């Protein structure tokens, strides 16, 4: 776990199981499932900043949209921009040496390659994907690198995908044959062009690998390192180092690729499964769609649950159709099916009460006070966005710590606010969502064996 040494313990994933097809992890609360866009940092909150925003906001927004280009447009413009650059492209000007080193020769070759690419009549024909770019440089080597006819032409080993059919694998192996030195030169040139391309697209900064479960798996070498660096421009030495580190990660992970099968909300903790090859991903996604072999169970703490507190029921189901909110982009809402709602079904059981008066193993009913919260075991039969959070908020006080749906029960149950909001006994409400993916059952995509994983709640 040295790769996660800089990650706080409470934000580190825990690997429960792994093989060549799947990885099962326990994701902590407040950690993204997959990489995304980093939250922009504010430059300040003073009055001067607000005044500047008011006076320049409209013009800045207009300029941002005016300068934004598509990936293809930015790629073409980035290549053409090097035609007007004086001096070295890939490094600093250094005194000429009697015997140039291998790195000096490589830097000069990168410079020549980029300049000749910029002189290409139709730069839109230059590929934007690195493997295709490498083969393009191989095919046009005499035109792009005329000063380096003595480059080592020994072939680098072609990368193979064991999941491909044999004939397709053989054909791809022939296409991937490329000299090892030219491969390195092309990769460095590609990174330099890509750095020039990104600002033209005005892309948001990505999250760091430590800030998502998938990113942490990459750092632990469970899959290939596919993180794009949108940071400051790199020097040639930094590009060389990064390419070497990526190759090392790829070698250690045996060229496995991480495929997302399902996700948990950032605030939701618990069990996740990740596929390591396309065949496993396809099989698991089919299981999730069919909802036959996959069984998911969550634990959620609510302070007021009328079926239990008023009717002494220990289990039941919630059948309320859901649809995306018409007023708030990130939210869903209860809506009749005739008005566009989608069927949504959740089964629930009482797992335990705050006073431990009602364990799920007990079969008898108990009379409880209005002040005792309850932990529910929820099984989503369907898989709508925010289904468990909305269903709990619609029936009771909502899941504790849910600022989107459940922390303000009056908003959802305005008819009886006093009965839906029992006192907190002087305790402050939790800041984190008390929803935990407690148990997951599915069939192994290769062996067909049913697998079950259980994770205890941390609250």
């Amino acid at each position: 776990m040295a790769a996660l040494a800089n990650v706080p313990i409470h934000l580190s994933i825990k690997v429960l199981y792994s093989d060549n097809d799947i990885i099962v992890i326990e994701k902590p609360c407040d950690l993204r499932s997959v990489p995304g866009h980093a939250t922009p940092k504010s430059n300040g909150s003073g009055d001067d900043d607000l005044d500047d925003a008011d006076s320049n906001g409209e013009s800045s927004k207009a300029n941002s949209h005016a300068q934004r280009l598509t990936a293809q447009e930015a790629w073409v413009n980035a290549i053409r921009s090097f035609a007007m650059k004086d001096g070295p492209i890939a490094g600093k000007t250094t005194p000429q040496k009697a015997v140039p080193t291998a790195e000096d020769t490589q830097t000069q070759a990168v410079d020549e390659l980029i300049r000749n690419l910029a002189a290409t009549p139709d730069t839109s024909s230059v590929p934007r994907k690195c493997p295709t770019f490498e083969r393009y440089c191989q095919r046009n080597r005499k035109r792009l690198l005329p000063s380096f006819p003595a480059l080592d032409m020994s072939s680098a080993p072609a990368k193979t995908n064991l999941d491909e059919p044999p004939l397709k694998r053989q054909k791809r192996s022939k296409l991937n044959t490329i000299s090892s030195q030219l491969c390195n030169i092309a990769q460095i040139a590609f990174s330099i062009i890509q750095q020039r391309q990104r600002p033209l697209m005005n892309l948001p900064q990505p999250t760091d690998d430590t800030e998502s479960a998938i990113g942490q798996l990459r750092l632990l070498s469970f899959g290939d390192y596919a993180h794009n660096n949108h940071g400051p421009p790199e020097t040639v030495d930094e590009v060389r180092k990064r390419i070497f580190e990526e190759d090392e990660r790829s070698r250690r992970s045996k060229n496995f690729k991480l495929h997302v099968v399902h996700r948990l909300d950032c605030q939701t903790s618990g069990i996740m499964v990740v596929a390591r090859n396309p065949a496993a991903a396809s099989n698991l996604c089919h299981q999730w769609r069919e909802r036959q072999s996959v069984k998911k169970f969550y634990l959620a703490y609510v302070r007021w649950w009328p079926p239990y507190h008023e009717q002494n029921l220990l289990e039941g189901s919630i059948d309320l159709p859901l649809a995306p909110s018409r007023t708030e982009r990130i939210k869903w809402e209860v809506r009749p099916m005739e008005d566009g709602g989608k069927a949504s079904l959740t089964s629930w059981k009482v797992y335990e009460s705050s006073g431990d008066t009602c364990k799920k193993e007990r079969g008898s009913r108990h009379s409880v006070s209005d002040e005792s919260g309850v932990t529910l075991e929820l099984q989503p039969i369907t898989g709508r966005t925010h289904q468990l959070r909305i269903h709990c908020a619609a029936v009771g006080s909502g899941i504790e710590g849910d600022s989107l749906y459940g922390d303000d029960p009056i908003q959802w149950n305005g008819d009886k606010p006093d009965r839906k909001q029992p006192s907190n006994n002087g305790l402050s409400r939790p800041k984190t969502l008390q929803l935990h993916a407690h148990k997951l059952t599915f069939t192994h995509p290769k062996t067909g064996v049913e697998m079950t994983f259980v994770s205890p709640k941390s609250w």
Side-chain angles (χ1 to χ4, degrees):
M1 299 293 287
L4 303 182
N6 296 327
V7 182
I9 296 179
H10 70 282
L11 292 178
S12 299
I13 63 172
K14 179 181 179 182
V15 178
L16 304 179
Y17 174 86
S18 67
D19 58 25
N20 289 344
D21 298 287
I22 62 171
I23 310 168
V24 181
I25 65 172
E26 184 180 283
K27 185 188 84 68
C29 180
D30 295 328
L31 181 73
R32 304 175 65 107
S33 295
V34 298
H37 295 154
T39 303
K41 295 181 180 179
S42 173
N43 293 326
S45 57
D47 295 336
D48 293 338
D49 295 327
L50 294 176
D51 292 340
D52 291 341
D54 292 338
S55 60
N56 301 327
E58 292 300 326
S59 60
S60 298
K61 184 183 293 186
N63 291 338
S64 174
H65 285 294
Q67 296 173 0
R68 182 174 298 174
L69 303 176
T70 65
Q72 179 63 20
E73 291 171 341
W75 179 256
V76 170
N77 287 2
I79 296 175
R80 289 174 179 170
S81 68
F82 288 105
M84 299 175 288
K85 181 174 175 61
D86 296 326
I89 295 174
K92 299 179 181 178
T93 304
T94 56
Q96 293 229 353
K97 301 177 183 177
V99 181
T101 64
E103 290 188 355
D104 292 336
T105 302
Q106 187 182 66
T107 300
Q108 294 170 10
V110 172
D111 267 50
E112 182 171 297
L113 174 62
I114 295 178
R115 290 189 190 280
N116 288 329
L117 281 173
T120 302
D122 183 16
T123 52
S124 63
S125 64
V126 181
R128 288 189 290 116
K129 301 295 184 182
C130 191
T132 316
F133 180 83
E134 294 172 8
R135 294 195 292 271
Y136 175 89
C137 294
Q138 171 77 343
R139 292 194 305 269
N140 298 275
R141 177 175 172 276
K142 292 183 179 180
R143 175 175 64 84
L144 298 176
L145 293 167
S147 303
F148 298 88
L151 278 177
D152 179 19
M153 291 302 296
S154 59
S155 297
K159 297 180 180 179
T160 58
N161 184 356
L162 298 180
D163 295 316
E164 288 183 337
L167 292 178
K168 185 176 181 180
R169 194 187 317 158
Q170 184 179 6
K171 181 179 179 181
R172 187 181 296 276
S173 178
K174 292 180 180 178
L175 292 174
N176 284 347
T177 301
I178 183 172
S179 73
S180 55
Q181 284 192 3
L182 181 57
C183 181
N184 292 333
I185 292 170
Q187 287 178 354
I188 295 173
F190 182 85
S191 294
I192 292 174
I193 298 172
Q194 200 173 52
Q195 288 176 20
R196 185 71 63 90
Q197 172 203 20
R198 283 171 181 151
L200 300 177
M201 294 189 292
N202 200 13
L203 295 173
Q205 284 288 99
T207 53
D208 189 78
D209 276 338
T210 59
E211 299 176 9
S212 67
I214 296 296
Q216 291 187 21
L217 285 176
R218 289 172 179 163
L219 293 178
L220 293 172
S221 300
F222 280 100
D224 69 333
Y225 187 83
H227 179 70
N228 289 326
N229 179 18
H230 290 195
E234 301 170 302
T235 64
V236 176
D237 290 337
E238 290 171 339
V239 172
R240 287 195 191 102
K241 180 180 178 182
R242 177 168 57 81
I243 291 174
F244 173 78
E245 290 175 349
E246 291 174 1
D247 289 342
E248 282 294 298
R249 287 190 179 95
S250 180
R251 180 184 60 79
R252 290 197 304 266
S253 64
K254 301 179 182 179
N255 292 323
F256 287 120
K257 287 193 174 182
L258 303 177
H259 299 263
V260 178
V261 176
H262 68 118
R263 307 183 186 191
L264 296 178
D265 291 343
C266 180
Q267 293 180 303
T268 304
S269 59
I271 300 173
M272 278 182 61
V273 59
V274 179
R276 302 187 76 182
N277 56 65
S282 176
N283 183 286
L284 289 173
C285 287
H286 178 75
Q287 292 186 45
W288 252 256
R289 284 194 304 269
E290 296 300 319
R291 307 171 189 165
Q292 296 296 325
S293 56
V294 176
K295 297 180 179 63
K296 298 175 288 184
F297 298 90
Y298 293 75
L299 297 182
Y301 179 75
V302 296
R303 290 188 178 273
W304 180 254
W305 194 248
Y308 172 66
H309 290 99
E310 296 181 353
Q311 304 172 31
N312 284 335
L313 297 178
L314 297 180
E315 60 183 87
S317 62
I318 307 170
D319 187 1
L320 293 174
L322 303 178
S325 172
R326 292 185 173 121
T327 57
E328 299 182 69
R329 183 180 61 85
I330 64 172
K331 296 180 69 174
W332 280 49
E333 61 187 9
V334 177
R335 191 185 305 164
M337 296 186 67
E338 54 269 20
D339 192 22
K342 299 180 180 180
S344 305
L345 180 63
T346 301
S347 296
W348 63 269
K349 292 181 181 179
V350 173
Y351 186 78
E352 63 184 11
S353 71
S354 59
D356 198 27
T357 57
C358 181
K359 288 286 186 181
K360 66 175 182 177
E361 292 85 359
R362 300 181 183 179
S364 59
R365 297 180 178 180
H366 296 265
S367 176
V368 297
S369 69
D370 287 351
E371 301 298 321
S372 61
V374 61
T375 299
L376 302 174
E377 182 182 76
L378 306 172
Q379 182 184 7
I381 307 303
T382 54
R384 309 301 176 198
T385 300
H386 298 166
Q387 175 177 317
L388 301 182
R389 297 163 70 174
I390 299 174
H391 276 179
C392 286
V395 173
S397 61
I399 301 173
E400 281 296 296
D402 186 359
S403 58
L404 195 59
Y405 299 102
D407 268 358
D408 186 9
I410 298 177
Q411 177 182 353
W412 293 91
N413 305 285
D415 54 336
K416 298 179 180 179
D418 295 334
R419 301 192 66 184
K420 304 295 183 180
Q421 279 188 292
S423 66
N424 295 339
N425 293 329
L427 300 177
S428 60
R429 301 180 84 95
K431 295 182 179 180
T432 58
L433 178 67
Q434 296 197 350
L435 177 63
H436 180 74
H438 165 62
K439 184 178 179 181
L440 178 63
T441 298
F442 61 93
T443 301
H444 192 281
K446 189 171 184 178
T447 63
V449 176
E450 185 177 84
M451 308 183 74
T452 298
F453 296 90
V454 179
S455 168
K457 59 183 175 66
S458 58
W459 34 267

